[in-house]
Amino acid sequence: MPKVWHGLIREYKDFLPVTDKTPVVTLQEGNTPLIPTRRLNMAINPDIEIYLKYDGANPTGSFKDRGMTMAVSKAKEQGAKSIICASTGNTSAAAAAYGASAGMEVFVLIPDGKIALGKLAQAMAYGAQVLQIHGNFDEALTLVTEISAGFPITLVNSVNPFRIEGQKTAAFEVIDQLGFAPDYHFLPVGNAGNITAYWKGYQEYLAAGKSRKTPRMMGWQAAGSAPIVLDQIVENPSTVATAIRIGNPASWKGAVAARDESGGKIDSVTDEEILAAYRMIASLEGVFCEPASAASVAGLIKSNKAGLFNPGDKIVCTLTGHGLKDADVALSVIDTPQTVDAKLPSVLKALGF
Ligand code: AN7
């Protein structure tokens, strides 16, 4: 690994559709930690090896930075002055940040009241023009697609192929950090861009001789928002994991291909399973992710209970976003602290000494 990281476009330029003339818009994203787990590993199954790819450590706190550095750099190369996206939150935060860095105008459509506060705060702070719609993500995506077709504004949702190109670098990093491809790769599925991108990345590294195999791709939807599992559009998706509250994924076909070509699976986990995993990851490993991210580990726990794994299996779970994005959920589902007088006896008593 290089001592100084120059952002994923410069580090992986041989695998990306860029030239020396591409104006690179970067916040030095990528090179996120691949954390070997100990206590979580013991709690789930000591006979397998579990790693967390912590993409919440990216500059705006989610994996969306990987796709956005590419999408905004290519938009700039093509002379775009403005970008637009629909979002459950993280895409808008990343678009707003990279757009600000590039000096572009950024327009964002989000579902009214259904995105985590931290993500909305980010988009506002980075200076995007944010519009909440009385509707869900799927309706917002339809609207921005129509707007970008009618006006000179570049659409930066994952239907933009450069987004997938940038996001595939996460698979490269896993192999570079681990030294080999894992047996299984678990991740949450919303719009299904990320599972599509990882699968592309794993296949490209295999073709380049950087690994000897590809992992089985294991995608997890929230039970109330599981169109791919049900094989039908969900009109009114619901889940505590607002990031993946999506009823009609843009990369549906890509996800099905990743599943079938890799010998993997796309299944669902309940909100209870997601929140149980969310608490375990934080309290056993010291890694705070947002609820949607925990769907990957919830899926791993479910698969382990079903007896899927062989001893020695190497498993990577992507934690797609940072826990601070959605502090409200942490405080509502875990607990709020007790308040006592600022006196030693009161404090000692409350602490149980
Ligand atoms: C933390 O920001 O769709 O399956 O608009 O924020 O590639 O969509 C976010 C998705 C998982 C699902 N984890 O990834 C958006 C958006 C987190 C996310 C997903 C999202 P995809």
Side-chain angles (χ1 to χ4, degrees), residues 63-64 87-91 188-194 243-244 246 290 320:
F63 74 100
K64 301 288 184 181
S87 182
T88 58
N90 281 324
T91 298
V189 172
N191 240 326
N194 214 25
I244 53 172
I246 293 170
E290 64 173 286
T320 43

Side-chain angles (χ1 to χ4, degrees), residues 196-226:
T196 304
Y198 266 99
W199 180 234
K200 190 166 196 286
Y202 278 124
Q203 287 177 293
E204 288 183 11
Y205 246 29
L206 177 71
K210 299 261 192 184
S211 63
R212 293 196 194 157
K213 64 170 191 175
T214 52
R216 292 178 191 268
M217 301 303 301
M218 308 292 285
W220 298 84
Q221 301 201 289
S225 308

Side-chain angles (χ1 to χ4, degrees), residues 14-15 18 53 57 81 156-158 191-192 196 301 315 331:
D14 295 348
F15 291 88
V18 290
K53 179 64 173 160
K81 298 276 185 287
V156 294
N157 278 104
S158 57
N191 240 326
T196 304
I301 293 169
I315 295 142
L331 294 172

